[in-house]
Amino acid sequence: MAVELVDQNVEAICAVSPPAVLAASAATRSIPIIALDLESDPVANGWVASLAHPGANVTGAFLDLPDFNAKSLQILREAVPTLAKAAVLWNPASGSLQLEAVRNAASTLSVTLEVFEVSCE
């Protein structure tokens, strides 16, 4: 669909979600892409050179807060002091940064994690 948008000579593309940003950035290097991505790091994904100087056609709001997920596990542990095992539902399309933060928090808190991959397809 991103290629179809490019073929229609749109003036800008609004991409909501990491897969949408990926598709749009693969389809064009000239049409501005305005991203709303609450899950990933645009630098790590190669969509921009840096946050200060993107150097590409991708801009928008990226809210990647791995510490938020780690804090969620910490709060769960405080609410359930006997917590020894927790499950995580993880979509690989969102990248591994969030998952690694939860894994690190689990290790610090001595909580065993079970990770289950899910997809939105």
Side-chain angles (χ1 to χ4, degrees):
M1 287 191 288
V3 171
E4 290 176 20
L5 291 173
V6 171
D7 290 345
Q8 292 179 26
N9 294 319
V10 297
E11 294 181 32
I13 298 172
C14 182
V16 179
S17 80
V21 177
L22 178 63
S25 63
T28 181
R29 296 284 180 212
S30 58
I31 297 172
I33 300 167
I34 299 90
L36 176 57
D37 180 347
L38 305 178
E39 304 166 10
S40 59
D41 179 343
V43 177
N45 284 332
W47 298 327
V48 299
S50 74
L51 295 178
H53 301 285
N57 61 323
V58 177
T59 189
F62 292 88
L63 181 60
D64 183 26
L65 299 172
D67 292 340
F68 181 77
N69 285 327
K71 187 66 174 176
S72 296
L73 185 60
Q74 180 184 0
I75 291 169
L76 181 60
R77 178 65 184 271
E78 289 173 9
V80 184
T82 59
L83 181 71
K85 189 174 183 181
V88 173
L89 299 177
W90 173 63
N91 182 347
S94 67
S96 63
L97 193 61
Q98 305 287 345
L99 180 60
E100 290 307 313
V102 173
R103 282 185 171 149
N104 290 339
S107 176
T108 300
L109 297 168
S110 299
V111 173
T112 302
L113 281 187
E114 291 282 337
V115 178
F116 297 92
E117 289 188 19
V118 296
S119 68
C120 298
E121 295 179 27

